[in-house]
Amino acid sequence: MSTTTSTLPPEFQDNMESIRIMGFWIFLTTDLVLFGSLFAVYVVFRSLVGLGPTPHQLFVIGPVLTETLILLTSSFTCSLSLYSARINRVPGAIAWLIVTLGLGMSFVLLEIHEFASDVLNGHTWHQSAFLSAFFTLVGTHGGHVSVGVGWAIMLAIQIGLKGLTLTTRRKLYAFALYWHFLDIVWIFIFTVVYLSGIA
Amino acid sequence: MPIQRWTLHLLRLLFPPQVLLPDIVAIDIGLTVAVIVIGVYLTRTRRWGWLWHEWITTVDHKKIGIMYLIAALIMLFRGGVDALMIRSQLIAPNAHFMGAQQYDEVFTTHGTVMIFFMAMPMVFALFNATVPLMIGARDVAFPRLNAISFWLFAFGAILLNMSFSIGGSPSAGWMSYPPYSELLYNPGVGENYFLLSLQVAGIGTIATGINFLVTILRMRAPGMSLSKIPVFVWSALITSSLVLFAFPPLTVALGLTMLDRVFGASFFTIAHQGMPMMYVNLFWIFGHPEVYILVMPAFGVFSEVVPTFSRKPLFGYEAMVGSLLAISFLGYGTWVHHFFEMGAGPSVNVFFGLSTMLIAIPTGVKMFNWIFTMWGGRIRLTVPMLWQLAFIPTFVVGGATGIMLAAVPGDYQYHNSYFLIAHFHNVILGGTVFGMLSGMYYWWPKMFGWKLNQRQGTWAFALFVSGFWLTFMPQYFLGFEGMTRRMATYPAGLGWTTLNLWSTVGAFVMGAGFLVMVYNILWSRRYRDWDVTGDPWDGRTLEWSLPSPAPEYNFARIPMVQSRDEWWAMKQEGRTDEVKISATTVHPIHMPRNSAMPIMLAFAFFVGAIGLIFAWFWMAILGGLGVIAALAYGSFADYSEVEIDAKHVLQTEAQLGRVES
Ligand code: HEM
Ligand SMILES: [Cu+2]
């Protein structure tokens, strides 16, 4: 084995694990196409407000900004977890993972709160095509984050039980990919849905 | 009496009048009897354990391929019965052996079953059966995921097939356009069955796409660069990547319709400014690539069959691969040709008309390359080759009528007429089905270890193909005469009567061809003609270097590939001993362990889907929890490999005569 390959993190040196990482990348591509389709639907539907509110009337920037900051921070803590794993520090990896999932959870809670207040104001997705598209696009992202939280919980337990094996390292790496991916999707939601809606 | 009222309500929900028609009840009874008989048989012969260990929990790509194939043939039967029902209704004017509602249900299930539950699994059957063998791999990249894909497909198929006895079949066509597919016009659970069954199977399809893409990119034997893989493997690679981009829009289209129907959203409703055209676009952004997903593997099969039975290398390998790539790329820019009439305006229509016509060019290249491969070759008219030869004219006609449809002003005339029906049957049957059957006859000995009788196979072929032409040629003319698709019945005196009669006769001839094929399979199984050489056709690619069927680890020794038709080269250069092992070169082999997790996971999806179909949300949540539990179980407890020790490998290979002395 040449010296250049040995500087790679362990999960890349193992052939099977690196194949799994590639599989995960390709899965993310399909998820990207999924979100792409939902974005296309949203962009077409955002002017179809029927008798319901327009984006401008509906959105409040404050909580959304908080959500954004939380998610961006969680991406950072997620990287810290991966970094700790790379320097072989199990407690650090777990701790930062827990911070990440905590932030993810608070993001989800804020989003639920936002949705709930919209619905309590009478703006269900039944009201217009725009609202349907809005709740679905943003909700699909939120659903992904919730899945990520569940995944992070199981991953933290697994790292606790098994330590940093090749497999748990690879899982942590895949989780980090997933989490950053959701962050990027959120940036698009933030600009395409919220900012351009409020403007 | 709340309990009584509740039971009554449940019974009405599960058994609405449309599932209590006499023919459906008769089929229900027949199916129940069949299930009981099979159950008793398995118990009597103590086969349950065998079924569980050898098949249900298997992660072996060869067995998964066989299961796909059997499922696809059963679905071909089911879809075929639907087709014969449709054709029987249309045999004469004013026939009413089915009511309009039942007729709608039958053509909807026919299309859905044929595309999603017959053609797709047939394609995946061949991928599973051959791709790892052709690239010198011991399995696919993710064996357990492969089993998950299969079981998701299987439960999806069960869901769709359940609908006609429990709750009612969907009736909005295989494309299921809103607003007709919306709750307002289409109450009941039938449409939900359609949405959820495709969703469940679709997840499995995406997973298969990922799996084969990674397998082909990363699991090839040393020396086998991408420029040396067989063209069938190229077709699998390109098909898989098409799946990845085509299926998510379908997921979205189906998902949004479900949100409308089950959760009261307003995507495609007319009220609340919903926009049905959005669905149509999403559906065809999936749908057009999907037709290429179906036909590329057939192109791949022919690119193996023709060289083998012409004893010549494939003419223009690079052009073959290049044209596959070109088709897959162009295939994304044509979807609007399915709805030129929706008023997008001339410039949009012209763009999509031209992009559609462009596809004919790479397709033509392929046609010529197959013909040039045969040119001057020593052709053997085996059953796989016969299917190939029948494919060429059939597909040319299908492609030419496709060009006619792509001419926008013309399409205003033919759209949704029987001309369209004839077009896509020409390409899907003449392309995909002929191709898959060719591949089935070709690789059958590799999959099962015994050959299919050629004479019976030729009869099945002759009946099927002549039935095919008889069925669909009249339909072009019916289209010209103004008969639109999806008519439950038609009046006399329009000049349609004779053409319809011939078409129906043709359909029954095709049905007879299918029966002969089934007989062919059963007969050949009874009087087995074992393939002891592993290379019954004098093949060219690596799968023929293995015994038939291949041992569970496929290759005792991973080959070092030097040329394109590696096995042919080995035979020419007298290097066939390279596949043998000896006591000094044998190594223990690691294989993935069987797992019950795939079927558990798929079952949880099934439960969740039923919950959504009937809007029993507690059940949907239960299914969701089941999915989480299965995934957690898979992640924590389940993962492991087994080691096949060197001695066992040596013994197995010795029995097959593959050990160097
Ligand atoms: C040269 C190649 C082809 C061309 C130019 C072509 C063109 C077209 C056009 C323009 C339509 C829409 C017609 C209408 O709705 O009025 C159409 C429909 C269709 N084509 Fe093709 N096609 C080609 C090859 C294929 C292939 C290879 C397949 C499948 C293996 C296929 C399957 C279908 C199906 C399933 C439909 C419509 C189904 C429906 O409406 O239910 N086509 N084709
Ligand atoms: Cu098309």
Side-chain angles (χ1 to χ4, degrees):
Chain A
M1 192 149 285
S2 69
T3 44
T4 41
T5 49
S6 60
T7 59
L8 282 173
E11 64 267 27
F12 282 91
Q13 287 178 29
D14 182 77
N15 188 36
M16 271 327 287
E17 297 298 357
S18 88
I19 286 177
R20 293 192 179 107
I21 290 172
M22 180 178 183
F24 197 77
W25 271 106
I26 295 174
F27 160 73
L28 285 183
T29 336
T30 67
D31 228 22
L32 190 68
V33 183
L34 184 95
F35 276 110
S37 310
L38 287 174
F39 269 106
V41 172
Y42 179 80
V43 169
V44 174
F45 279 26
R46 67 176 156 195
S47 54
L48 306 178
V49 294
L51 299 175
T54 63
H56 188 72
Q57 291 160 341
L58 187 71
F59 297 151
V60 190
I61 193 73
V64 183
L65 211 57
T66 321
E67 284 171 40
T68 309
L69 288 177
I70 289 179
L71 207 62
L72 288 183
T73 315
S74 79
S75 238
F76 180 61
T77 56
C78 178
S79 296
L80 288 179
S81 169
L82 191 63
Y83 176 72
S84 311
R86 293 273 162 85
I87 57 174
N88 300 318
R89 300 223 6 236
V90 178
I94 297 180
W96 285 117
L97 196 56
I98 291 174
V99 175
T100 307
L101 77 88
L103 289 169
M105 237 187 261
S106 42
F107 170 89
V108 173
L109 287 178
L110 274 178
E111 190 164 275
I112 290 176
H113 183 257
E114 183 198 338
F115 281 14
S117 63
D118 288 345
V119 170
L120 289 179
N121 287 330
H123 304 316
T124 62
W125 64 4
H126 185 63
Q127 210 175 23
S128 71
F130 153 63
L131 285 170
S132 296
F134 164 71
F135 283 121
T136 305
L137 171 60
V138 180
T140 304
H141 176 269
H144 273 70
V145 176
S146 315
V147 168
V149 168
W151 184 5
I153 292 174
M154 290 203 241
L155 192 54
I157 298 175
Q158 233 171 55
I159 297 179
L161 289 175
K162 300 182 181 168
L164 287 167
T165 62
L166 271 183
T167 309
T168 52
R169 280 171 195 274
R170 183 259 303 163
K171 285 181 181 171
L172 184 63
Y173 183 76
F175 171 77
L177 282 180
Y178 181 75
W179 202 255
H180 296 317
F181 167 75
L182 291 181
D183 212 24
I184 295 168
V185 172
W186 178 258
I187 303 284
F188 278 92
I189 291 181
F190 185 63
T191 43
V192 174
V193 177
Y194 288 104
L195 286 186
S196 73
I198 288 169
Chain B
M1 278 286 156
I3 297 253
Q4 247 170 14
R5 269 221 319 276
W6 193 83
T7 320
L8 212 65
H9 169 78
L10 184 69
L11 283 177
R12 282 219 195 95
L13 193 63
L14 295 181
F15 304 105
Q18 76 205 82
V19 309
L20 296 177
L21 299 173
D23 47 348
I24 294 187
V25 173
I27 294 173
D28 290 347
I29 295 172
L31 279 179
T32 316
V33 172
V35 168
I36 293 173
V37 168
I38 293 176
V40 170
Y41 174 77
L42 288 173
T43 314
R44 278 275 187 78
T45 53
R46 299 173 188 277
R47 292 270 176 86
W48 286 106
W50 165 81
L51 200 64
W52 179 259
H53 294 296
E54 293 287 317
W55 295 96
I56 293 177
T57 59
T58 188
V59 295
D60 182 340
H61 68 96
K62 300 180 285 299
K63 289 184 176 165
I64 291 174
I66 290 175
M67 292 195 288
Y68 268 122
L69 182 66
I70 293 172
L73 289 174
I74 295 174
M75 286 296 105
L76 180 58
F77 176 73
R78 153 102 224 238
V81 171
D82 288 338
L84 293 183
M85 287 170 76
I86 295 172
R87 283 315 317 171
S88 304
Q89 173 98 343
L90 298 177
I91 189 169
N94 299 314
H96 278 288
F97 114 85
M98 291 184 281
Q101 171 68 24
Q102 196 189 358
Y103 184 85
D104 291 359
E105 293 173 4
V106 169
F107 75 64
T108 300
T109 350
H110 166 71
T112 313
V113 162
M114 285 300 200
I115 301 257
F116 293 100
F117 299 112
M118 185 282 287
M120 292 297 283
M122 199 87 139
V123 166
F124 291 157
L126 294 189
F127 283 4
N128 270 291
T130 63
V131 166
L133 305 183
M134 288 178 126
I135 61 173
R138 293 215 163 107
D139 207 319
V140 295
F142 311 115
R144 199 175 58 182
L145 186 67
N146 201 20
I148 293 174
S149 291
F150 173 77
W151 288 109
L152 285 173
F153 149 74
F155 278 105
I158 291 173
L159 271 178
L160 190 79
N161 283 285
M162 254 171 68
S163 66
F164 86 123
S165 28
I166 301 174
S169 286
S171 61
W174 82 278
M175 296 122 62
S176 203
Y177 284 177
Y180 179 63
S181 60
E182 292 283 349
L183 210 50
L184 183 60
Y185 306 99
N186 212 324
V189 296
E191 180 63 20
N192 296 354
Y193 268 115
F194 172 88
L195 297 168
L196 269 303
S197 66
L198 292 194
Q199 203 71 286
V200 170
I203 299 170
T205 304
I206 292 179
T208 306
I210 297 174
N211 213 338
F212 277 87
L213 192 66
V214 178
T215 304
I216 297 169
L217 289 179
R218 294 292 296 271
M219 309 278 284
R220 300 189 309 276
M224 185 174 258
S225 59
L226 278 180
S227 63
K228 291 201 187 80
I229 59 179
V231 173
F232 182 69
V233 178
W234 267 111
S235 80
L237 180 72
I238 294 170
T239 305
S240 304
S241 63
L242 279 177
V243 164
L244 301 182
F245 293 101
F247 269 72
L250 176 71
T251 308
V252 170
L254 299 171
L256 301 188
T257 314
M258 185 197 75
L259 293 181
D260 274 7
R261 289 180 58 90
V262 184
F263 297 94
S266 303
F267 284 102
F268 310 130
T269 53
I270 300 295
H272 309 291
Q273 276 206 302
M275 196 196 232
M277 272 313 292
M278 191 56 163
Y279 176 93
V280 179
N281 272 287
L282 285 171
F283 184 86
W284 286 112
I285 288 175
F286 148 78
H288 192 79
E290 164 71 7
V291 304
Y292 289 104
I293 290 171
L294 293 178
V295 87
M296 295 236 192
F299 292 170
V301 170
F302 295 138
S303 303
E304 302 305 317
V305 164
V306 172
T308 300
F309 296 112
S310 309
R311 281 185 211 273
K312 272 179 64 188
L314 186 67
F315 181 90
Y317 178 96
E318 288 82 2
M320 282 307 218
V321 174
S323 55
L324 280 181
L325 285 168
I327 292 173
S328 72
F329 182 73
L330 290 171
Y332 279 104
T334 65
W335 79 92
V336 172
H337 66 213
H338 293 274
F339 43 93
F340 285 140
E341 294 72 17
M342 297 274 187
S347 42
V348 173
N349 279 355
V350 165
F351 174 86
F352 283 94
L354 286 178
S355 65
T356 306
M357 292 183 190
L358 267 184
I359 294 199
I361 298 172
T363 316
V365 168
K366 307 192 77 67
M367 285 290 170
F368 282 115
N369 281 359
W370 287 311
I371 294 174
F372 289 145
T373 307
M374 287 182 246
W375 198 273
R378 302 233 316 275
I379 296 179
R380 284 176 288 164
L381 289 181
T382 56
V383 178
M385 192 64 183
L386 288 175
W387 284 108
Q388 200 291 329
L389 291 174
F391 152 84
I392 290 186
T394 318
F395 202 81
V396 166
V397 171
T401 54
I403 302 280
M404 289 170 74
L405 287 163
V408 183
D411 190 58
Y412 273 70
Q413 304 303 315
Y414 330 120
H415 178 61
N416 276 356
S417 73
Y418 262 81
F419 187 89
L420 166 73
I421 303 291
H423 156 68
F424 73 72
H425 283 89
N426 234 303
V427 279
I428 292 195
L429 264 156
T432 310
V433 176
F434 286 14
M436 293 306 106
L437 292 177
S438 172
M440 181 181 92
Y441 274 90
Y442 183 56
W443 282 303
W444 190 280
K446 190 53 63 190
M447 292 173 81
F448 294 91
W450 38 275
K451 289 181 265 188
L452 290 174
N453 178 286
Q454 291 278 317
R455 220 163 63 95
Q456 294 161 3
T458 309
W459 273 106
F461 160 82
L463 283 170
F464 200 96
V465 172
S466 45
F468 168 83
W469 282 86
L470 191 54
T471 309
F472 292 105
M473 289 309 115
Q475 294 188 2
Y476 285 117
F477 297 96
L478 280 170
F480 288 143
E481 302 278 343
M483 182 164 171
T484 53
R485 73 194 293 189
R486 297 180 176 165
M487 299 180 87
T489 185
Y490 57 92
L494 292 173
W496 301 349
T497 310
T498 323
L499 291 169
N500 269 307
L501 173 67
W502 281 118
S503 185
T504 301
V505 172
F508 278 91
V509 176
M510 236 193 295
F514 178 76
L515 290 184
V516 174
M517 193 182 320
V518 173
Y519 176 79
N520 183 194
I521 293 174
L522 296 178
W523 189 91
S524 310
R525 185 176 183 282
R526 177 101 175 67
Y527 304 101
R528 266 179 265 208
D529 177 9
W530 292 104
D531 167 30
V532 285
T533 59
D535 186 14
W537 311 115
D538 198 5
R540 312 177 70 86
T541 37
L542 278 179
E543 76 273 27
W544 305 112
S545 75
L546 294 170
S548 299
E552 55 178 321
Y553 46 78
N554 298 349
F555 293 88
R557 176 171 165 189
I558 302 284
M560 293 286 291
V561 178
Q562 296 173 15
S563 55
R564 232 170 236 165
D565 291 342
E566 175 67 12
W567 176 236
W568 186 257
M570 283 187 193
K571 285 190 285 190
Q572 295 303 305
E573 296 158 17
R575 295 190 280 120
T576 48
D577 277 354
E578 276 181 25
V579 301
K580 295 187 175 169
I581 53 169
S582 69
T584 48
T585 55
V586 67
H587 294 289
I589 295 174
H590 291 266
M591 295 301 291
R593 192 191 291 278
N594 282 2
S595 168
M597 180 266 196
I599 191 172
M600 283 164 27
L601 181 67
F603 184 71
F605 268 101
F606 177 77
V607 172
I610 302 248
L612 288 174
I613 288 169
F614 287 93
W616 297 330
F617 296 121
W618 59 271
M619 195 165 172
I621 292 171
L622 197 71
L625 292 177
V627 169
I628 295 174
L631 288 175
Y633 167 70
S635 172
F636 276 92
D638 193 38
Y639 194 75
S640 58
E641 294 189 327
V642 278
E643 189 185 277
I644 306 177
D645 66 51
K647 231 164 70 197
H648 180 78
V649 176
L650 204 61
Q651 261 168 17
T652 316
E653 295 289 308
Q655 269 163 17
L656 296 161
R658 295 164 66 89
V659 173
E660 267 171 331
S661 44

